[in-house]
mmCIF file of all heavy atoms in Angstrom:
data_model
loop_
_atom_site.group_PDB
_atom_site.id
_atom_site.type_symbol
_atom_site.label_atom_id
_atom_site.label_comp_id
_atom_site.label_asym_id
_atom_site.label_seq_id
_atom_site.Cartn_x
_atom_site.Cartn_y
_atom_site.Cartn_z
ATOM 1 N N ALA A 1 1.627 13.402 -0.685
ATOM 2 C CA ALA A 1 1.914 14.667 -1.410
ATOM 3 C C ALA A 1 0.591 15.269 -1.899
ATOM 4 O O ALA A 1 0.409 16.481 -1.875
ATOM 5 C CB ALA A 1 2.852 14.387 -2.584
ATOM 6 N N MET A 2 -0.324 14.436 -2.362
ATOM 7 C CA MET A 2 -1.616 14.945 -2.835
ATOM 8 C C MET A 2 -2.465 15.380 -1.650
ATOM 9 O O MET A 2 -3.158 16.394 -1.743
ATOM 10 C CB MET A 2 -2.341 13.864 -3.679
ATOM 11 C CG MET A 2 -1.708 13.632 -5.042
ATOM 12 S SD MET A 2 -1.364 15.171 -5.986
ATOM 13 C CE MET A 2 -2.960 15.977 -5.945
ATOM 14 N N LYS A 3 -2.485 14.615 -0.592
ATOM 15 C CA LYS A 3 -3.263 15.006 0.578
ATOM 16 C C LYS A 3 -2.787 16.351 1.116
ATOM 17 O O LYS A 3 -3.569 17.185 1.562
ATOM 18 C CB LYS A 3 -3.170 13.946 1.666
ATOM 19 C CG LYS A 3 -4.146 14.182 2.836
ATOM 20 C CD LYS A 3 -4.122 13.048 3.826
ATOM 21 C CE LYS A 3 -5.248 13.210 4.851
ATOM 22 N NZ LYS A 3 -5.224 14.507 5.570
ATOM 23 N N GLU A 4 -1.504 16.574 1.070
ATOM 24 C CA GLU A 4 -0.900 17.857 1.477
ATOM 25 C C GLU A 4 -1.547 19.006 0.711
ATOM 26 O O GLU A 4 -1.832 20.053 1.279
ATOM 27 C CB GLU A 4 0.610 17.777 1.210
ATOM 28 C CG GLU A 4 1.420 18.936 1.667
ATOM 29 C CD GLU A 4 2.911 18.722 1.350
ATOM 30 O OE1 GLU A 4 3.335 19.095 0.247
ATOM 31 O OE2 GLU A 4 3.634 18.122 2.192
ATOM 32 N N GLN A 5 -1.777 18.836 -0.580
ATOM 33 C CA GLN A 5 -2.373 19.886 -1.394
ATOM 34 C C GLN A 5 -3.840 20.140 -1.017
ATOM 35 O O GLN A 5 -4.271 21.285 -0.886
ATOM 36 C CB GLN A 5 -2.274 19.499 -2.887
ATOM 37 C CG GLN A 5 -0.882 19.389 -3.431
ATOM 38 C CD GLN A 5 -0.107 20.686 -3.362
ATOM 39 O OE1 GLN A 5 -0.642 21.763 -3.699
ATOM 40 N NE2 GLN A 5 1.118 20.620 -2.964
ATOM 41 N N PHE A 6 -4.618 19.057 -0.849
ATOM 42 C CA PHE A 6 -6.006 19.245 -0.469
ATOM 43 C C PHE A 6 -6.149 19.814 0.920
ATOM 44 O O PHE A 6 -6.990 20.698 1.156
ATOM 45 C CB PHE A 6 -6.748 17.918 -0.583
ATOM 46 C CG PHE A 6 -6.973 17.429 -1.997
ATOM 47 C CD1 PHE A 6 -6.204 16.417 -2.519
ATOM 48 C CD2 PHE A 6 -7.917 18.051 -2.820
ATOM 49 C CE1 PHE A 6 -6.401 15.990 -3.842
ATOM 50 C CE2 PHE A 6 -8.126 17.640 -4.111
ATOM 51 C CZ PHE A 6 -7.353 16.607 -4.645
ATOM 52 N N ASP A 7 -5.299 19.388 1.824
ATOM 53 C CA ASP A 7 -5.369 19.900 3.200
ATOM 54 C C ASP A 7 -5.070 21.370 3.272
ATOM 55 O O ASP A 7 -5.764 22.135 3.962
ATOM 56 C CB ASP A 7 -4.372 19.139 4.098
ATOM 57 C CG ASP A 7 -4.828 17.710 4.414
ATOM 58 O OD1 ASP A 7 -5.999 17.396 4.118
ATOM 59 O OD2 ASP A 7 -4.013 16.948 4.945
ATOM 60 N N LYS A 8 -4.007 21.830 2.577
ATOM 61 C CA LYS A 8 -3.651 23.248 2.684
ATOM 62 C C LYS A 8 -4.647 24.152 2.003
ATOM 63 O O LYS A 8 -4.687 25.337 2.269
ATOM 64 C CB LYS A 8 -2.226 23.464 2.148
ATOM 65 C CG LYS A 8 -2.061 23.472 0.629
ATOM 66 C CD LYS A 8 -0.616 23.750 0.279
ATOM 67 C CE LYS A 8 -0.393 23.853 -1.204
ATOM 68 N NZ LYS A 8 1.023 24.138 -1.554
ATOM 69 N N ASN A 9 -5.488 23.555 1.122
ATOM 70 C CA ASN A 9 -6.573 24.320 0.499
ATOM 71 C C ASN A 9 -7.922 24.036 1.137
ATOM 72 O O ASN A 9 -8.953 24.431 0.599
ATOM 73 C CB ASN A 9 -6.627 23.988 -1.001
ATOM 74 C CG ASN A 9 -5.456 24.590 -1.753
ATOM 75 O OD1 ASN A 9 -5.416 25.785 -2.008
ATOM 76 N ND2 ASN A 9 -4.481 23.766 -2.096
ATOM 77 N N GLN A 10 -7.883 23.367 2.290
ATOM 78 C CA GLN A 10 -9.043 23.146 3.150
ATOM 79 C C GLN A 10 -10.169 22.392 2.405
ATOM 80 O O GLN A 10 -11.360 22.692 2.622
ATOM 81 C CB GLN A 10 -9.553 24.458 3.733
ATOM 82 C CG GLN A 10 -8.509 25.141 4.606
ATOM 83 C CD GLN A 10 -8.992 26.423 5.241
ATOM 84 O OE1 GLN A 10 -9.785 27.161 4.644
ATOM 85 N NE2 GLN A 10 -8.494 26.711 6.449
ATOM 86 N N ILE A 11 -9.799 21.466 1.568
ATOM 87 C CA ILE A 11 -10.764 20.590 0.911
ATOM 88 C C ILE A 11 -10.752 19.248 1.659
ATOM 89 O O ILE A 11 -9.675 18.665 1.855
ATOM 90 C CB ILE A 11 -10.438 20.374 -0.564
ATOM 91 C CG1 ILE A 11 -10.700 21.686 -1.324
ATOM 92 C CG2 ILE A 11 -11.286 19.250 -1.169
ATOM 93 C CD1 ILE A 11 -10.401 21.621 -2.813
ATOM 94 N N PRO A 12 -11.909 18.781 2.142
ATOM 95 C CA PRO A 12 -11.945 17.540 2.891
ATOM 96 C C PRO A 12 -11.313 16.385 2.160
ATOM 97 O O PRO A 12 -11.632 16.099 0.995
ATOM 98 C CB PRO A 12 -13.455 17.273 3.113
ATOM 99 C CG PRO A 12 -14.077 18.635 2.988
ATOM 100 C CD PRO A 12 -13.225 19.378 1.968
ATOM 101 N N CYS A 13 -10.354 15.715 2.807
ATOM 102 C CA CYS A 13 -9.586 14.657 2.137
ATOM 103 C C CYS A 13 -9.164 13.628 3.158
ATOM 104 O O CYS A 13 -8.645 13.965 4.216
ATOM 105 C CB CYS A 13 -8.361 15.251 1.437
ATOM 106 S SG CYS A 13 -7.292 14.053 0.618
ATOM 107 N N VAL A 14 -9.369 12.363 2.839
ATOM 108 C CA VAL A 14 -8.982 11.232 3.692
ATOM 109 C C VAL A 14 -8.104 10.304 2.903
ATOM 110 O O VAL A 14 -8.375 10.015 1.731
ATOM 111 C CB VAL A 14 -10.199 10.495 4.229
ATOM 112 C CG1 VAL A 14 -9.816 9.257 5.020
ATOM 113 C CG2 VAL A 14 -11.077 11.436 5.095
ATOM 114 N N MET A 15 -7.044 9.804 3.532
ATOM 115 C CA MET A 15 -6.158 8.831 2.889
ATOM 116 C C MET A 15 -6.337 7.489 3.605
ATOM 117 O O MET A 15 -6.250 7.397 4.823
ATOM 118 C CB MET A 15 -4.701 9.282 2.967
ATOM 119 C CG MET A 15 -3.690 8.289 2.434
ATOM 120 S SD MET A 15 -2.005 8.987 2.540
ATOM 121 C CE MET A 15 -1.018 7.448 2.374
ATOM 122 N N GLU A 16 -6.587 6.412 2.831
ATOM 123 C CA GLU A 16 -6.769 5.102 3.381
ATOM 124 C C GLU A 16 -5.899 4.091 2.666
ATOM 125 O O GLU A 16 -5.596 4.244 1.483
ATOM 126 C CB GLU A 16 -8.248 4.663 3.258
ATOM 127 C CG GLU A 16 -9.220 5.442 4.088
ATOM 128 C CD GLU A 16 -9.213 5.036 5.571
ATOM 129 O OE1 GLU A 16 -8.422 4.144 5.932
ATOM 130 O OE2 GLU A 16 -9.969 5.616 6.354
ATOM 131 N N ASP A 17 -5.535 3.028 3.393
ATOM 132 C CA ASP A 17 -4.863 1.871 2.777
ATOM 133 C C ASP A 17 -5.936 0.960 2.211
ATOM 134 O O ASP A 17 -6.785 0.434 2.974
ATOM 135 C CB ASP A 17 -4.045 1.141 3.868
ATOM 136 C CG ASP A 17 -3.214 -0.018 3.295
ATOM 137 O OD1 ASP A 17 -3.649 -0.634 2.295
ATOM 138 O OD2 ASP A 17 -2.125 -0.268 3.838
ATOM 139 N N ALA A 18 -5.941 0.758 0.911
ATOM 140 C CA ALA A 18 -6.992 -0.024 0.273
ATOM 141 C C ALA A 18 -7.109 -1.424 0.801
ATOM 142 O O ALA A 18 -8.198 -1.995 0.935
ATOM 143 C CB ALA A 18 -6.761 -0.070 -1.249
ATOM 144 N N LEU A 19 -5.963 -2.002 1.167
ATOM 145 C CA LEU A 19 -5.986 -3.404 1.638
ATOM 146 C C LEU A 19 -6.576 -3.537 3.040
ATOM 147 O O LEU A 19 -6.882 -4.645 3.477
ATOM 148 C CB LEU A 19 -4.565 -3.973 1.632
ATOM 149 C CG LEU A 19 -3.987 -4.277 0.218
ATOM 150 C CD1 LEU A 19 -2.629 -4.937 0.329
ATOM 151 C CD2 LEU A 19 -4.945 -5.125 -0.617
ATOM 152 N N ASN A 20 -6.839 -2.409 3.707
ATOM 153 C CA ASN A 20 -7.574 -2.478 4.967
ATOM 154 C C ASN A 20 -9.027 -2.857 4.784
ATOM 155 O O ASN A 20 -9.702 -3.275 5.706
ATOM 156 C CB ASN A 20 -7.462 -1.144 5.703
ATOM 157 C CG ASN A 20 -6.116 -0.891 6.313
ATOM 158 O OD1 ASN A 20 -5.316 -1.799 6.467
ATOM 159 N ND2 ASN A 20 -5.827 0.358 6.638
ATOM 160 N N PHE A 21 -9.497 -2.732 3.531
ATOM 161 C CA PHE A 21 -10.873 -3.141 3.235
ATOM 162 C C PHE A 21 -10.940 -4.613 2.868
ATOM 163 O O PHE A 21 -12.013 -5.188 2.781
ATOM 164 C CB PHE A 21 -11.459 -2.300 2.102
ATOM 165 C CG PHE A 21 -11.567 -0.824 2.455
ATOM 166 C CD1 PHE A 21 -10.569 0.071 2.120
ATOM 167 C CD2 PHE A 21 -12.660 -0.380 3.176
ATOM 168 C CE1 PHE A 21 -10.681 1.402 2.482
ATOM 169 C CE2 PHE A 21 -12.774 0.963 3.544
ATOM 170 C CZ PHE A 21 -11.775 1.850 3.193
ATOM 171 N N ALA A 22 -9.804 -5.205 2.595
ATOM 172 C CA ALA A 22 -9.747 -6.648 2.383
ATOM 173 C C ALA A 22 -9.696 -7.379 3.722
ATOM 174 O O ALA A 22 -9.566 -6.733 4.780
ATOM 175 C CB ALA A 22 -8.505 -7.000 1.557
ATOM 176 N N SER A 23 -9.797 -8.689 3.709
ATOM 177 C CA SER A 23 -9.664 -9.441 4.930
ATOM 178 C C SER A 23 -8.242 -9.275 5.477
ATOM 179 O O SER A 23 -7.301 -9.015 4.727
ATOM 180 C CB SER A 23 -9.958 -10.928 4.724
ATOM 181 O OG SER A 23 -8.957 -11.489 3.920
ATOM 182 N N ASP A 24 -8.081 -9.398 6.807
ATOM 183 C CA ASP A 24 -6.770 -9.260 7.401
ATOM 184 C C ASP A 24 -5.765 -10.242 6.780
ATOM 185 O O ASP A 24 -4.605 -9.904 6.504
ATOM 186 C CB ASP A 24 -6.836 -9.490 8.920
ATOM 187 C CG ASP A 24 -7.571 -8.355 9.635
ATOM 188 O OD1 ASP A 24 -7.691 -7.283 9.045
ATOM 189 O OD2 ASP A 24 -7.975 -8.567 10.777
ATOM 190 N N ARG A 25 -6.218 -11.444 6.555
ATOM 191 C CA ARG A 25 -5.357 -12.484 6.001
ATOM 192 C C ARG A 25 -4.924 -12.114 4.595
ATOM 193 O O ARG A 25 -3.762 -12.220 4.244
ATOM 194 C CB ARG A 25 -6.090 -13.827 6.004
ATOM 195 C CG ARG A 25 -5.236 -14.971 5.483
ATOM 196 C CD ARG A 25 -6.022 -16.257 5.519
ATOM 197 N NE ARG A 25 -5.240 -17.381 4.987
ATOM 198 C CZ ARG A 25 -5.745 -18.590 4.827
ATOM 199 N NH1 ARG A 25 -6.986 -18.871 5.165
ATOM 200 N NH2 ARG A 25 -4.954 -19.552 4.339
ATOM 201 N N ALA A 26 -5.882 -11.667 3.769
ATOM 202 C CA ALA A 26 -5.567 -11.301 2.373
ATOM 203 C C ALA A 26 -4.599 -10.121 2.329
ATOM 204 O O ALA A 26 -3.692 -10.064 1.510
ATOM 205 C CB ALA A 26 -6.845 -11.011 1.607
ATOM 206 N N ALA A 27 -4.820 -9.124 3.203
ATOM 207 C CA ALA A 27 -3.968 -7.938 3.235
ATOM 208 C C ALA A 27 -2.540 -8.294 3.608
ATOM 209 O O ALA A 27 -1.611 -7.860 2.982
ATOM 210 C CB ALA A 27 -4.537 -6.919 4.192
ATOM 211 N N ARG A 28 -2.386 -9.088 4.666
ATOM 212 C CA ARG A 28 -1.056 -9.502 5.103
ATOM 213 C C ARG A 28 -0.367 -10.323 4.027
ATOM 214 O O ARG A 28 0.838 -10.151 3.757
ATOM 215 C CB ARG A 28 -1.146 -10.323 6.409
ATOM 216 C CG ARG A 28 -1.463 -9.499 7.631
ATOM 217 C CD ARG A 28 -1.162 -10.290 8.891
ATOM 218 N NE ARG A 28 -1.886 -11.573 8.910
ATOM 219 C CZ ARG A 28 -3.100 -11.727 9.443
ATOM 220 N NH1 ARG A 28 -3.722 -10.678 9.964
ATOM 221 N NH2 ARG A 28 -3.683 -12.908 9.440
ATOM 222 N N TYR A 29 -1.098 -11.187 3.395
ATOM 223 C CA TYR A 29 -0.533 -12.062 2.358
ATOM 224 C C TYR A 29 -0.046 -11.212 1.171
ATOM 225 O O TYR A 29 1.044 -11.418 0.674
ATOM 226 C CB TYR A 29 -1.561 -13.089 1.907
ATOM 227 C CG TYR A 29 -1.058 -14.014 0.826
ATOM 228 C CD1 TYR A 29 -0.192 -15.051 1.136
ATOM 229 C CD2 TYR A 29 -1.498 -13.858 -0.490
ATOM 230 C CE1 TYR A 29 0.281 -15.901 0.131
ATOM 231 C CE2 TYR A 29 -1.017 -14.720 -1.507
ATOM 232 C CZ TYR A 29 -0.133 -15.720 -1.153
ATOM 233 O OH TYR A 29 0.321 -16.559 -2.145
ATOM 234 N N GLY A 30 -0.871 -10.288 0.733
ATOM 235 C CA GLY A 30 -0.513 -9.422 -0.405
ATOM 236 C C GLY A 30 0.762 -8.655 -0.188
ATOM 237 O O GLY A 30 1.645 -8.614 -1.025
ATOM 238 N N ARG A 31 0.902 -8.095 1.016
ATOM 239 C CA ARG A 31 2.101 -7.308 1.338
ATOM 240 C C ARG A 31 3.321 -8.195 1.440
ATOM 241 O O ARG A 31 4.404 -7.878 0.941
ATOM 242 C CB ARG A 31 1.891 -6.551 2.649
ATOM 243 C CG ARG A 31 0.828 -5.464 2.556
ATOM 244 C CD ARG A 31 0.807 -4.614 3.807
ATOM 245 N NE ARG A 31 -0.300 -3.659 3.773
ATOM 246 C CZ ARG A 31 -1.453 -3.773 4.406
ATOM 247 N NH1 ARG A 31 -1.677 -4.834 5.159
ATOM 248 N NH2 ARG A 31 -2.384 -2.850 4.315
ATOM 249 N N LYS A 32 3.156 -9.372 2.070
ATOM 250 C CA LYS A 32 4.310 -10.285 2.245
ATOM 251 C C LYS A 32 4.794 -10.784 0.902
ATOM 252 O O LYS A 32 6.027 -10.862 0.665
ATOM 253 C CB LYS A 32 3.908 -11.459 3.123
ATOM 254 C CG LYS A 32 3.865 -11.118 4.611
ATOM 255 C CD LYS A 32 3.524 -12.335 5.447
ATOM 256 C CE LYS A 32 3.505 -12.026 6.936
ATOM 257 N NZ LYS A 32 3.166 -13.206 7.739
ATOM 258 N N VAL A 33 3.880 -11.146 0.008
ATOM 259 C CA VAL A 33 4.286 -11.652 -1.296
ATOM 260 C C VAL A 33 5.058 -10.598 -2.067
ATOM 261 O O VAL A 33 6.086 -10.865 -2.695
ATOM 262 C CB VAL A 33 3.057 -12.113 -2.117
ATOM 263 C CG1 VAL A 33 3.415 -12.346 -3.565
ATOM 264 C CG2 VAL A 33 2.508 -13.400 -1.520
ATOM 265 N N TYR A 34 4.577 -9.349 -2.010
ATOM 266 C CA TYR A 34 5.254 -8.274 -2.727
ATOM 267 C C TYR A 34 6.665 -8.077 -2.185
ATOM 268 O O TYR A 34 7.650 -8.003 -2.935
ATOM 269 C CB TYR A 34 4.474 -6.948 -2.606
ATOM 270 C CG TYR A 34 5.158 -5.809 -3.322
ATOM 271 C CD1 TYR A 34 4.912 -5.563 -4.661
ATOM 272 C CD2 TYR A 34 6.033 -4.958 -2.634
ATOM 273 C CE1 TYR A 34 5.546 -4.513 -5.297
ATOM 274 C CE2 TYR A 34 6.667 -3.919 -3.284
ATOM 275 C CZ TYR A 34 6.405 -3.702 -4.611
ATOM 276 O OH TYR A 34 7.049 -2.669 -5.236
ATOM 277 N N ILE A 35 6.805 -7.971 -0.855
ATOM 278 C CA ILE A 35 8.109 -7.753 -0.256
ATOM 279 C C ILE A 35 9.048 -8.926 -0.546
ATOM 280 O O ILE A 35 10.198 -8.731 -0.890
ATOM 281 C CB ILE A 35 7.971 -7.578 1.273
ATOM 282 C CG1 ILE A 35 7.194 -6.235 1.525
ATOM 283 C CG2 ILE A 35 9.351 -7.506 1.958
ATOM 284 C CD1 ILE A 35 6.770 -6.066 2.980
ATOM 285 N N TRP A 36 8.573 -10.154 -0.403
ATOM 286 C CA TRP A 36 9.385 -11.342 -0.686
ATOM 287 C C TRP A 36 9.845 -11.346 -2.125
ATOM 288 O O TRP A 36 11.043 -11.567 -2.410
ATOM 289 C CB TRP A 36 8.615 -12.621 -0.375
ATOM 290 C CG TRP A 36 9.382 -13.835 -0.768
ATOM 291 C CD1 TRP A 36 10.361 -14.468 -0.037
ATOM 292 C CD2 TRP A 36 9.256 -14.603 -2.007
ATOM 293 N NE1 TRP A 36 10.848 -15.539 -0.735
ATOM 294 C CE2 TRP A 36 10.191 -15.657 -1.924
ATOM 295 C CE3 TRP A 36 8.451 -14.462 -3.128
ATOM 296 C CZ2 TRP A 36 10.317 -16.558 -2.961
ATOM 297 C CZ3 TRP A 36 8.577 -15.408 -4.161
ATOM 298 C CH2 TRP A 36 9.508 -16.441 -4.080
ATOM 299 N N SER A 37 8.967 -11.061 -3.055
ATOM 300 C CA SER A 37 9.305 -11.173 -4.456
ATOM 301 C C SER A 37 10.284 -10.123 -4.901
ATOM 302 O O SER A 37 11.131 -10.335 -5.770
ATOM 303 C CB SER A 37 8.060 -11.094 -5.322
ATOM 304 O OG SER A 37 7.422 -9.836 -5.209
ATOM 305 N N THR A 38 10.227 -8.917 -4.250
ATOM 306 C CA THR A 38 11.100 -7.846 -4.686
ATOM 307 C C THR A 38 12.431 -7.841 -3.931
ATOM 308 O O THR A 38 13.471 -7.403 -4.449
ATOM 309 C CB THR A 38 10.440 -6.487 -4.498
ATOM 310 O OG1 THR A 38 10.017 -6.343 -3.154
ATOM 311 C CG2 THR A 38 9.256 -6.341 -5.441
ATOM 312 N N VAL A 39 12.447 -8.314 -2.676
ATOM 313 C CA VAL A 39 13.687 -8.295 -1.882
ATOM 314 C C VAL A 39 14.406 -9.616 -1.986
ATOM 315 O O VAL A 39 15.632 -9.691 -2.202
ATOM 316 C CB VAL A 39 13.364 -7.992 -0.386
ATOM 317 C CG1 VAL A 39 14.668 -8.036 0.429
ATOM 318 C CG2 VAL A 39 12.723 -6.641 -0.258
ATOM 319 N N LYS A 40 13.693 -10.738 -1.883
ATOM 320 C CA LYS A 40 14.314 -12.068 -1.793
ATOM 321 C C LYS A 40 14.347 -12.830 -3.106
ATOM 322 O O LYS A 40 15.167 -13.721 -3.293
ATOM 323 C CB LYS A 40 13.567 -12.921 -0.755
ATOM 324 C CG LYS A 40 13.518 -12.319 0.641
ATOM 325 C CD LYS A 40 14.880 -12.302 1.293
ATOM 326 C CE LYS A 40 14.786 -11.809 2.727
ATOM 327 N NZ LYS A 40 16.092 -11.741 3.367
ATOM 328 N N ALA A 41 13.440 -12.509 -3.994
ATOM 329 C CA ALA A 41 13.321 -13.326 -5.212
ATOM 330 C C ALA A 41 13.076 -12.471 -6.446
ATOM 331 O O ALA A 41 12.015 -12.510 -7.074
ATOM 332 C CB ALA A 41 12.199 -14.367 -5.053
ATOM 333 N N LYS A 42 14.064 -11.657 -6.797
ATOM 334 C CA LYS A 42 13.888 -10.693 -7.877
ATOM 335 C C LYS A 42 13.584 -11.398 -9.203
ATOM 336 O O LYS A 42 12.908 -10.871 -10.058
ATOM 337 C CB LYS A 42 15.140 -9.823 -8.009
ATOM 338 C CG LYS A 42 15.252 -8.823 -6.871
ATOM 339 C CD LYS A 42 16.392 -7.859 -7.112
ATOM 340 C CE LYS A 42 16.478 -6.824 -6.025
ATOM 341 N NZ LYS A 42 17.575 -5.850 -6.264
ATOM 342 N N ARG A 43 14.138 -12.602 -9.406
ATOM 343 C CA ARG A 43 13.872 -13.315 -10.664
ATOM 344 C C ARG A 43 12.416 -13.666 -10.773
ATOM 345 O O ARG A 43 11.839 -13.630 -11.852
ATOM 346 C CB ARG A 43 14.745 -14.566 -10.760
ATOM 347 C CG ARG A 43 16.219 -14.271 -10.959
ATOM 348 C CD ARG A 43 17.021 -15.556 -11.076
ATOM 349 N NE ARG A 43 18.422 -15.262 -11.252
ATOM 350 C CZ ARG A 43 19.361 -16.206 -11.341
ATOM 351 N NH1 ARG A 43 19.046 -17.504 -11.271
ATOM 352 N NH2 ARG A 43 20.628 -15.879 -11.495
ATOM 353 N N VAL A 44 11.802 -14.045 -9.672
ATOM 354 C CA VAL A 44 10.357 -14.328 -9.646
ATOM 355 C C VAL A 44 9.587 -13.079 -10.034
ATOM 356 O O VAL A 44 8.677 -13.127 -10.851
ATOM 357 C CB VAL A 44 9.929 -14.856 -8.278
ATOM 358 C CG1 VAL A 44 8.408 -14.989 -8.202
ATOM 359 C CG2 VAL A 44 10.586 -16.168 -7.975
ATOM 360 N N PHE A 45 9.956 -11.958 -9.406
ATOM 361 C CA PHE A 45 9.241 -10.710 -9.696
ATOM 362 C C PHE A 45 9.430 -10.318 -11.179
ATOM 363 O O PHE A 45 8.482 -9.879 -11.827
ATOM 364 C CB PHE A 45 9.791 -9.591 -8.797
ATOM 365 C CG PHE A 45 9.046 -8.295 -8.909
ATOM 366 C CD1 PHE A 45 7.889 -8.105 -8.164
ATOM 367 C CD2 PHE A 45 9.462 -7.273 -9.749
ATOM 368 C CE1 PHE A 45 7.182 -6.892 -8.261
ATOM 369 C CE2 PHE A 45 8.770 -6.102 -9.844
ATOM 370 C CZ PHE A 45 7.619 -5.906 -9.114
ATOM 371 N N ALA A 46 10.643 -10.478 -11.668
ATOM 372 C CA ALA A 46 10.910 -10.121 -13.048
ATOM 373 C C ALA A 46 10.070 -10.977 -14.007
ATOM 374 O O ALA A 46 9.478 -10.473 -14.973
ATOM 375 C CB ALA A 46 12.398 -10.294 -13.381
#
């Protein structure tokens, strides 16, 4: 939504996934833990 605003006003803007700057293993692990904790183990997340 924010990139949409900068683009339509022709201000240079790039959107990146921050975890792409981490190691592949760390990025995959971070996403998996989040998904598991919120979908499969809500008590853990809470």
Side-chain angles (χ1 to χ4, degrees):
M2 289 311 307
K3 189 174 189 304
E4 186 179 90
Q5 296 297 317
F6 288 105
D7 286 349
K8 76 179 184 180
N9 288 286
Q10 300 182 326
I11 290 180
C13 178
V14 174
M15 176 178 163
E16 293 282 0
D17 186 327
L19 289 184
N20 286 344
F21 296 95
S23 68
D24 290 343
R25 182 179 178 184
R28 286 195 304 271
Y29 180 75
R31 293 188 185 103
K32 282 183 179 179
V33 167
Y34 179 87
I35 294 168
W36 175 81
S37 65
T38 55
V39 178
K40 302 292 186 183
K42 289 187 177 181
R43 290 182 181 178
V44 173
F45 187 84

